[in-house]
Amino acid sequence: MKKIISTNKAPAAIGPYSQAIEYNGVLYCSGQIPLDPNTMEIIGKNASEQAKQVMKNLEAVLGEAGSDFSKVIKCSIFLDDMGDFADVNEVYGSYFENEPPARETVAVQTLPKSVLVEISCIAFI
């Protein structure tokens, strides 16, 4: 059975989607951007600062579902500029020091609200 996951510790959806969906013990987390969950304002002026907020938001969604970064099996990283790869990778890597998940990183033309980074993930509960 499909279960919608929602928490006020992460930004509210800015479109017709859920923060995450759990199905058969697998959690599909929508992409998070660097929004403050209380003000819905963008946090961070550079990709590194924005990536830290993105990871905090993902952590809140994972936690609401009873999961955490150790249970993440796949991530997708979207960058506004591939020149930010190393900075985002450093922040991202600090959350996955042991047994990192599968991942791809792609550069896109524009992200929602013109942010620099968006990350989604799949985890188990």
Side-chain angles (χ1 to χ4, degrees):
M1 172 172 266
K2 179 172 96 169
K3 178 181 176 186
I4 294 173
I5 305 299
S6 181
T7 178
N8 61 3
K9 295 178 182 174
I14 57 174
Y17 61 89
S18 299
Q19 289 172 329
I21 299 288
E22 187 233 323
Y23 185 77
N24 286 342
V26 179
L27 185 66
Y28 301 88
C29 295
S30 294
Q32 288 290 323
I33 61 175
L35 294 178
D36 179 295
N38 298 312
T39 66
M40 295 298 284
E41 297 294 322
I42 296 169
I43 300 294
K45 301 226 183 279
N46 60 46
S48 179
E49 292 170 353
Q50 288 192 10
K52 288 176 187 173
Q53 184 64 41
V54 167
M55 296 305 284
K56 285 173 65 173
N57 293 343
L58 276 176
E59 186 171 41
V61 175
L62 290 165
E64 183 66 23
S67 190
D68 59 45
F69 286 118
S70 72
K71 297 176 181 176
V72 171
I73 54 177
K74 175 77 168 35
C75 286
S76 298
I77 300 177
F78 305 93
L79 299 175
D80 180 64
D81 180 348
M82 198 55 85
D84 292 327
F85 180 85
D87 292 335
V88 171
N89 206 43
E90 184 176 339
V91 172
Y92 172 90
S94 72
Y95 287 84
F96 299 108
E97 293 180 2
N98 298 311
E99 299 179 349
R103 179 188 98 182
E104 69 269 328
T105 303
V106 296
V108 297
Q109 185 171 357
T110 308
L111 289 165
K113 297 192 175 277
S114 297
V115 299
L116 304 175
V117 60
E118 178 175 1
I119 302 174
S120 65
C121 70
I122 300 170
F124 60 90
I125 307 285

